Every structure is written in structure tokens, then in C-alpha cells.
């Protein structure tokens, strides 16, 4: 039995007892309370879940805690595609389910709140439609290193997306059942490539969209048991939607931070937004403030290519060549009289898909010297530790969740199979620090990436023998850093605009390239 299958058996043994206990708890709870779906009007349930807009209310994000609960409200992200994954790390006692087992549908602040009444009509029946667009511009303000064919320039990247979430418990009385689907259209490239960086793209909202009008990101079904004590999901799901993820990271524009630590997507078995593979994910909560989740994600060759995945709608699975199995545990405490929230995660993933060795050929010799192809390694691993903690709450009018948050973490990959061996990052996010602008946010983040020692050794041999270097680098890669500072302005309902500054130390982890600086912006519009 392989290490991957032993790991799967361990994860199953961990999850199943909690599933049984949670189902029992859910049955006991429903038998003693009036929690039959359909009790009360749909509009009553909506009002108890979503706070009406007012000048003093939080308007950029959705509050989902019941008003009668004496704890700070949980704020879920106000952009498409982030809500389903954020359910992973929200303590149970901070989610108001009402009479249902399905968590509340997303309802972000938007330009069009309820045109012609269709939004209310759909939500009363358990259907949510949301549409947004994100645009990111960046331009170098420093000249590139001469002699490598590089240039000083700028570029723009963007995306529009349409999301559909359906609460089938409300729509068809199917207990705890919901579905989620998202399609996008993408355009543009990151400007950082122009001065030689291939590790930390200056715009995260680029690539893998297939250059088509409509590209499917995910489509999956979810079953919630006992009001969130156990959650099961299956379908087309990106690995990194749920594992090593944090919506706070997309306060920033650089791909080193936004979505997941960039080292997480080195391994193609860890499918990354906007591409997904067939998967099953299970999550259980031993306590209201802790969770354990695992799953099986089927790895597909060429997942970021156009042959199978240009539109994202090709479901045959004919190129499945292995499985990735992650496990992640999380703790979300509330500290002090201000109930300061934190999120602490530790995770590990293994897979049995074929990978090219970074250094050796099939005979155990450097493949650059032997001239033979790299050997195939049918095993790889990754590990991560992530944390964020609010350390100061700003008691400002109009933003209940305003405060200073510190964040940091590390991500490690197998040096035999991945380019980025380690990534470390630290930063801060402060919202509502300016009382007259309670919805504005400032963020600063710093990332350090160490290229795996095996990849560095190969690139040095390639440079010595005068052959093109792996990963498209210009010189041997060792380590590099990127610093980003951003200020997100809440322009009006559903609209934000964020001027952005990025500074690259050793672009692309290449000592031969001089530091580079960029200016740009990130804008987001939520239409409905």
C-alpha cells in the first residue's frame, strides 16, 4: 500500500467518527426544536440573516451572525468565489443558520441592490446570483537590467465573473443541500515579466482562463450536516479554494499573496483558481472554534493547458494520472473583551502523480550532464503553517469589524519536484483606522521565496553548459523577495479602488537582476 493510500485511510478514520456524532447531534437538535424547513416566511429568514443597509451599518461585507448573539459579527468576503471557501474557517457559534442547515447565501454590497425586485424574488426561493469585475494595472518605474533583452513597461489584467449559489433546502426542501458554480472571463498579463521576474506576478488576476468569453471555474454540490458540524462537497473543485487559503490575502494584488501563498500552486496536483478537477472534500468540527478537513483531488495532466481546459467544461477525466490528499486543521479563537478574532492553520498534502525530478535522471546522475531526460518521481509533498490575528479593534462608526490584523505564514514543497522550495511571508492589514473613512483599508506585506536547492543546482549546470535554464529564468535562481503596500478606497456602494506599490528584491530570485519597483492599482466593482 502506498504512502498516499495509507494517508487516505488515516484521514477517513479521523473524519468518520465525527460525522456519526454530528449526525446524531443534528437529529437530537431537530427533534427538540421547531426547525422544519419552511417554518416562517422566506422574508423573515432573510431579515434575520442579513442586516438592512443604513449609514451606520457595515456595507462592504455581509454580516451573518444572528443579532441576539453576544459576540462580534462574522464578516464574509464581498467578492465572488470567496464565500464558499470562507465557510471552512468560520466558528459555528458565529454563523446564524436560522431554521436551516445550509449556511446563508452570499449577499455582497453591490451597485444594483434589487433591480426590478428580481434579487429578492430569487433569494426568497434560495437562489443567489452575483456578478463582479476586477481589474489590475501595474507599470515599472525603474529601468530593467541591461543585456538580457528586458524592458520597462506596464500591463493590465482583469476578470469578470458570474456566480450562482442555490440553497436547495429552501428551494426544494432537500435538507442541508446546496450547489455552487462560477464562470469567468479573463484577459491580460502581469507587467513584472518584462523585467525578468517569473516567481511573483505583479497581477494575480491573470492566466489559465483559456482566452475565452466563458471559462468554468468550479461546479460542485455541498451537503451540510447538523448546521455545519460536518460538511461534505463533491464535484469540480479547485484544491486551493479550501486548503491554505485566506480571503484576507486578496487585499493585495501581487500573486505572491493573493489567493494562496504562491508556492502552493507549484504542484499542478494542487489545482488553483480558475481551474478545477474532480474532487471530494470532507470537513468536521470537533468544537465550535476548530476544524479538520481532508479530501481526495484527482490530478489531471495539463490542467493549465488549452487542450483539456480551455473552457473548463471538459469533464471526461481522461487525463487523470494520480490523486492528491491534503489534510488541514484550524483554530479560530476570540481573545479579550473586544473578542479579537484569529485564524491559525496547519496543513500537509501528498500526491502520487508523476513529476519530473529537478536534478537527477533515471540512473541517478544529473540529467544536464548525462543528456538523458529527468527521472519520473511518483510522489511529492507540501506543508504549510498560516496565521492571522486581529490585535486591535477600532471602535468606529459604520464598520463593526474595523481593526488591525497581523498575518504571516510559511509554505514548504518537496525540493525534488517543485521550483519554490519555501516561502515565508508577514504583513498587516488595517481597516477603519481613519474614523472619517471607516471602510478604507491599508495593507503591507513582505514575501521571501527560496528556490529549491535541487533546481538551483540544475540551473547552475545549465548555465555552465550554455543551455536554456529551467523555468524560463535568465540566470540561476536562489532567493528573492517582494514588498507590497496598498490602500483600498471604498469609493461608493460596491466599488473599491486601490493604488498599489510593489518592490522586487532580486527579481525572479536572480542575483544578476537589479531591484525593480512598480506602481499600479486594483479596482473591483460588484454589480449585483
Amino acid at each position: 500500500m502506498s504512502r498516499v493510500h495509507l494517508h487516505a485511510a488515516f484521514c477517513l478514520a479521523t473524519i468518520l467518527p465525527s460525522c456519526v456524532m454530528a449526525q446524531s447531534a443534528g437529529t437530537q437538535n431537530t427533534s427538540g426544536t421547531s426547525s422544519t424547513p419552511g417554518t416562517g416566511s422566506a422574508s423573515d429568514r432573510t431579515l434575520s440573516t442579513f442586516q438592512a443597509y443604513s449609514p451606520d451599518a457595515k456595507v462592504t461585507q455581509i454580516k451573518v451572525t444572528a443579532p441576539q448573539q453576544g459576540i462580534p459579527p462574522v464578516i464574509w468576503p464581498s467578492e465572488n468565489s470567496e464565500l464558499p471557501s470562507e465557510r471552512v474557517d468560520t466558528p459555528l457559534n458565529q454563523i446564524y443558520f436560522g431554521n436551516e442547515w445550509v449556511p446563508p447565501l452570499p449577499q455582497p454590497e453591490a451597485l444594483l441592490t434589487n433591480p426590478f425586485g428580481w434579487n429578492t424574488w430569487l433569494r426568497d426561493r434560495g437562489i443567489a446570483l452575483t456578478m463582479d469585475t476586477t481589474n489590475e494595472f501595474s507599470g515599472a518605474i525603474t529601468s530593467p537590467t541591461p543585456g538580457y533583452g528586458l524592458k520597462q513597461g506596464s500591463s493590465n489584467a482583469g476578470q469578470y465573473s458570474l456566480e450562482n449559489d442555490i440553497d436547495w433546502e429552501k428551494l426544494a426542501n432537500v435538507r442541508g443541500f446546496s450547489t455552487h458554480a462560477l464562470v469567468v472571463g479573463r484577459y491580460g498579463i502581469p507587467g513584472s515579466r518584462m523585467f525578468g521576474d517569473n516567481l511573483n506576478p505583479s497581477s494575480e488576476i491573470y492566466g489559465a482562463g483559456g482566452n475565452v468569453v466563458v471559462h468554468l471555474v468550479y461546479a460542485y454540490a455541498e451537503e451540510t450536516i447538523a448546521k455545519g458540524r460536518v460538511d461534505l462537497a463533491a464535484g469540480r473543485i479547485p484544491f486551493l479554494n479550501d486548503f491554505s487559503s485566506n480571503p484576507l490575502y486578496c487585499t493585495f494584488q501581487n500573486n505572491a499573496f493573493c489567493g494562496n501563498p504562491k508556492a502552493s500552486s507549484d504542484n499542478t496536483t494542487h489545482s488553483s483558481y480558475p481551474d478545477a478537477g474532480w474532487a471530494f472534500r470532507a470537513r468536521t468540527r470537533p468544537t465550535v472554534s476548530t476544524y479538520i478537513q481532508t479530501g481526495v483531488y484527482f490530478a489531471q495532466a495539463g490542467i493549465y493547458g488549452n487542450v483539456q481546459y480551455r473552457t473548463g467544461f471538459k469533464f471526461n477525466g481522461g487525463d487523470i494520472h494520480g490523486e492528491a490528499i491534503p489534510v488541514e486543521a484550524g483554530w479560530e479563537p476570540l481573545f479579550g473583551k473586544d473578542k479579537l478574532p484569529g485564524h491559525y492553520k496547519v496543513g500537509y498534502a501528498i500526491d502520487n502523480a508523476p513529476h519530473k525530478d529537478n536534478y537527477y535522471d533515471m540512473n541517478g546522475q544529473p540529467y544536464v550532464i548525462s543528456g538523458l531526460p529527468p527521472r519520473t518521481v511518483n510522489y511529492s509533498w507540501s506543508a504549510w503553517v498560516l496565521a492571522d490575528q486581529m490585535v486591535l479593534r477600532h471602535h468606529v462608526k459604520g464598520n463593526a469589524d474595523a481593526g488591525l490584523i497581523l498575518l504571516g505564514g510559511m509554505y514548504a514543497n518537496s525540493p525534488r519536484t517543485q521550483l519554490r522550495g519555501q516561502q515565508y511571508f508577514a504583513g498587516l492589514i488595517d481597516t477603519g483606522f481613519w474614523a472619517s473613512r471607516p471602510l478604507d483599508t491599508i495593507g503591507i506585506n513582505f514575501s521571501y521565496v527560496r528556490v529549491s536547492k535541487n533546481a538551483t543546482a540544475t540551473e547552475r549546470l545549465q548555465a555552465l553548459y550554455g543551455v536554456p535554464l529551467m523555468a524560463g529564468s535568465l540566470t540561476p535562481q536562489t532567493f528573492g523577495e517582494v514588498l507590497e503596500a496598498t490602500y483600498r478606497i471604498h469609493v461608493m456602494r460596491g466599488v473599491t479602488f486601490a493604488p498599489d506599490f510593489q518592490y522586487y528584491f532580486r527579481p525572479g530570485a536572480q542575483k544578476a537582476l537589479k531591484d525593480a519597483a512598480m506602481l499600479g492599482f486594483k479596482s473591483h466593482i460588484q454589480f449585483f
Side-chain angles (χ1 to χ4, degrees):
M1 182 178 286
S2 71
R3 283 174 287 188
V4 173
H5 294 100
L6 285 172
H7 185 72
F10 170 78
C11 292
L12 190 62
T14 302
I15 292 291
L16 280 180
S18 297
C19 291
V20 174
M21 290 186 291
Q23 181 66 61
S24 175
T27 303
Q28 294 171 5
N29 178 61
T30 55
S31 63
T33 61
S34 177
S35 58
T36 304
T39 303
S41 68
S43 60
D44 290 340
R45 291 197 298 275
T46 302
L47 288 173
S48 66
T49 305
F50 302 114
Q51 182 174 345
Y53 292 117
S54 71
D56 296 336
K58 172 73 175 176
V59 296
T60 57
Q61 296 172 315
I62 174 177
K63 296 182 179 181
V64 295
T65 302
Q68 65 268 26
Q69 294 179 340
I71 57 177
V74 169
I75 306 301
W76 275 344
S78 60
E79 298 186 20
N80 284 8
S81 82
E82 292 180 350
L83 178 64
S85 61
E86 180 62 359
R87 291 174 178 164
V88 170
D89 45 26
T90 302
L92 281 180
N93 62 354
Q94 296 182 55
I95 305 177
Y96 181 59
F97 286 85
N99 293 324
E100 295 194 0
W101 284 8
V102 175
L105 295 173
Q107 188 167 330
E109 179 204 64
L111 281 173
L112 306 174
T113 56
N114 192 27
F116 306 106
W118 65 265
N119 198 11
T120 299
W121 189 89
L122 288 174
R123 287 176 180 278
D124 285 347
R125 290 155 180 79
I127 303 171
L129 289 174
T130 55
M131 183 178 183
D132 74 346
T133 181
T134 301
N135 195 78
E136 297 171 348
F137 171 84
S138 58
I141 57 175
T142 53
S143 60
T145 306
Y148 293 97
L150 303 173
K151 63 180 180 179
Q152 179 181 353
S154 61
S155 70
N156 188 73
Q159 169 188 283
Y160 51 85
S161 70
L162 178 65
E163 180 178 348
N164 173 235
D165 299 273
I166 301 178
D167 176 352
W168 290 92
E169 183 168 337
K170 184 178 292 185
L171 182 65
N173 201 27
V174 182
R175 190 69 155 169
F177 187 68
S178 60
T179 55
H180 313 278
L182 179 80
V183 295
V184 300
R186 283 189 159 190
Y187 51 88
I189 61 172
S192 52
R193 291 179 176 177
M194 299 180 186
F195 54 76
D197 185 272
N198 63 343
L199 293 180
N200 303 300
S202 55
S203 300
E204 55 81 23
I205 201 79
Y206 85 98
N211 194 28
V212 293
V213 175
V214 176
H215 176 88
L216 178 66
V217 177
Y218 58 68
Y220 66 93
E222 182 178 20
E223 179 65 30
T224 307
I225 301 172
K227 294 191 174 183
R229 294 181 181 274
V230 173
D231 186 271
L232 308 174
R236 303 285 292 184
I237 311 175
F239 178 110
L240 295 178
N241 258 32
D242 286 325
F243 292 89
S244 73
S245 67
N246 188 328
L248 290 174
Y249 298 162
C250 278
T251 301
F252 303 94
Q253 178 174 321
N254 193 286
N255 203 199
F257 316 119
C258 184
N260 308 78
K262 184 58 177 175
S264 63
S265 59
D266 259 18
N267 191 331
T268 57
T269 69
H270 301 176
S271 55
S272 178
Y273 184 106
D275 287 308
W278 292 110
F280 170 78
R281 189 262 297 149
R283 182 178 73 249
T284 184
R285 286 191 172 276
T287 68
V288 295
S289 61
T290 61
Y291 70 84
I292 301 173
Q293 62 174 345
T294 187
V296 177
Y297 292 77
F298 293 95
Q300 299 189 237
I303 186 170
Y304 301 121
N306 285 335
V307 175
Q308 288 278 345
Y309 298 98
R310 186 175 186 189
T311 67
F313 285 94
K314 202 164 186 177
F315 303 144
N316 59 25
D319 61 345
I320 292 176
H321 62 170
E323 305 90 34
I325 301 176
V327 60
E328 182 180 272
W331 175 49
E332 309 97 5
L334 295 171
F335 290 115
K337 64 179 182 179
D338 273 343
K339 305 296 183 182
L340 303 176
H343 301 88
Y344 299 85
K345 307 179 183 184
V346 58
Y348 181 78
I350 59 175
D351 71 81
N352 59 6
H355 303 270
K356 290 183 178 180
D357 193 283
N358 278 339
Y359 188 74
Y360 293 107
D361 64 16
M362 60 184 298
N363 297 319
Q365 300 298 317
Y367 70 81
V368 176
I369 296 176
S370 70
L372 297 175
R375 70 181 177 186
T376 298
V377 180
N378 290 297
Y379 169 73
S380 189
W381 61 266
S382 297
W384 59 92
V385 177
L386 308 174
D388 67 78
Q389 177 65 55
M390 182 180 286
V391 296
L392 176 66
R393 187 179 293 279
H394 302 309
H395 298 279
V396 297
K397 186 177 181 180
N399 191 344
D401 67 329
L404 172 63
I405 298 173
L406 302 182
L407 64 158
M410 64 82 63
Y411 203 101
N413 287 318
S414 167
R416 296 195 304 166
T417 59
Q418 308 307 317
L419 178 63
R420 297 169 180 84
Q422 302 98 35
Q423 179 180 357
Y424 304 89
F425 67 94
L428 62 86
I429 298 172
D430 199 353
T431 301
F433 64 94
W434 188 3
S436 62
R437 300 286 306 172
L439 302 176
D440 285 6
T441 299
I442 190 171
I444 302 173
N445 215 337
F446 177 82
S447 173
Y448 169 92
V449 172
R450 165 67 68 172
V451 173
S452 83
K453 59 183 180 180
N454 294 33
T456 299
T458 291
E459 290 179 349
R460 284 173 174 162
L461 286 175
Q462 290 171 328
L464 181 64
Y465 281 77
V467 298
L469 275 59
M470 65 185 299
S473 59
L474 301 170
T475 65
Q477 298 172 293
T478 51
F479 69 89
E481 300 113 353
V482 61
L483 172 70
E484 181 174 0
T486 188
Y487 184 87
R488 186 170 64 194
I489 304 166
H490 181 261
V491 179
M492 59 180 293
R493 179 188 298 276
V495 180
T496 60
F497 182 83
D500 188 78
F501 172 77
Q502 301 179 31
Y503 193 89
Y504 288 75
F505 304 88
R506 301 165 61 103
Q510 299 168 90
K511 183 179 180 180
L513 301 186
K514 67 178 186 178
D515 296 353
M518 306 189 79
L519 285 177
F521 67 84
K522 179 177 182 177
S523 63
H524 176 256
I525 302 174
Q526 188 78 41
F527 294 108
F528 52 80

